[in-house]
Amino acid sequence: SWPYVSSRAFVSEAQSDKVVLTAHDWVPASQDPDWSPHVLRYLSQWQVNMSAALAPLMDPASPHGVFNPACFLHTGFSAHAPLIANHSYLEAFGEWYFRGTPVKLQDRCGLLCNPTCAHSGSHPASTGAAAAPSEAAALLSLAGGEPRTDPEPPMPHLACRPRLLGRSMKAAGHDLAQSRRANTS
């Protein structure tokens, strides 16, 4: 159905979706994280298929945003993890939506290899290492293309996130502008 979507979209999707694979597919949750070789082959193919499905969105000319970590999760995205090139999905979405920055963040380190995911290093499929900084920088098109190295979050205005619940996006944009003015004075 993707060719028929005309609106800009931001996709946050793990390369291995835990709920889809265990609740709607045949991957046994009881093996998590010690999967059999057969299950690991299936997870690997799933990751390849997910990356291929997102390839049109990863095109630099695409207006869509992407946050695609090499994790085994469904809705476990938070402001702190997983991270790709030191950016959370919340930061990536904020840059894409509020600033119009093209965001294309996708792990290319292997199967379930993002060290900021809960399963990192705890299963046989993990390499225990994230994408090298040079690779992450090549995949990043956020804030000038350089991964963030400062310890402070680059967008403190996102701390107002709970205030956005139940509000229109126009009202949220107004809150964001107010927050930015308050932070610069």
Side-chain angles (χ1 to χ4, degrees):
S1 63
W2 189 252
Y4 304 102
V5 175
S6 59
S7 299
R8 286 180 355 131
F10 189 90
V11 176
S12 291
E13 177 70 37
Q15 291 177 13
S16 301
D17 189 302
K18 184 175 186 172
V19 170
V20 172
L21 287 164
T22 60
H24 304 291
D25 211 330
W26 62 269
V27 172
S30 62
Q31 287 187 14
D32 176 19
D34 300 313
W35 294 291
S36 69
H38 180 67
V39 171
L40 288 173
R41 282 191 302 275
Y42 187 78
L43 291 175
S44 181
Q45 188 58 52
W46 181 278
Q47 177 199 18
V48 168
N49 294 346
M50 178 60 68
S51 296
L54 292 176
L57 286 76
M58 291 297 295
D59 184 316
S62 164
H64 309 294
V66 178
F67 186 83
N68 185 229
C71 301
F72 187 64
L73 58 86
H74 181 69
T75 58
F77 295 90
S78 77
H80 308 290
L83 302 176
I84 302 175
N86 293 328
H87 295 280
S88 71
Y89 90 98
L90 188 60
E91 293 169 328
F93 177 77
E95 287 291 324
W96 176 82
Y97 186 82
F98 292 112
R99 294 185 181 169
T101 304
V103 175
K104 314 288 183 182
L105 293 171
Q106 183 177 54
D107 278 331
R108 295 192 185 175
C109 52
L111 180 61
L112 306 172
C113 57
N114 185 314
T116 64
C117 300
H119 282 84
S120 177
S122 64
H123 52 82
S126 175
T127 63
S134 60
E135 180 182 359
L139 298 174
L140 180 65
S141 110
L142 180 67
E146 292 298 320
R148 189 180 87 238
T149 56
D150 62 303
E152 295 297 315
M155 300 181 304
H157 57 276
L158 290 179
C160 69
R161 183 173 167 249
R163 290 177 47 210
L164 302 180
L165 297 176
R167 308 234 6 218
S168 70
M169 291 311 288
K170 184 175 180 180
H174 180 269
D175 287 350
L176 176 64
Q178 295 286 48
S179 178
R180 283 186 183 153
R181 283 194 285 280
N183 287 335
T184 59
S185 50

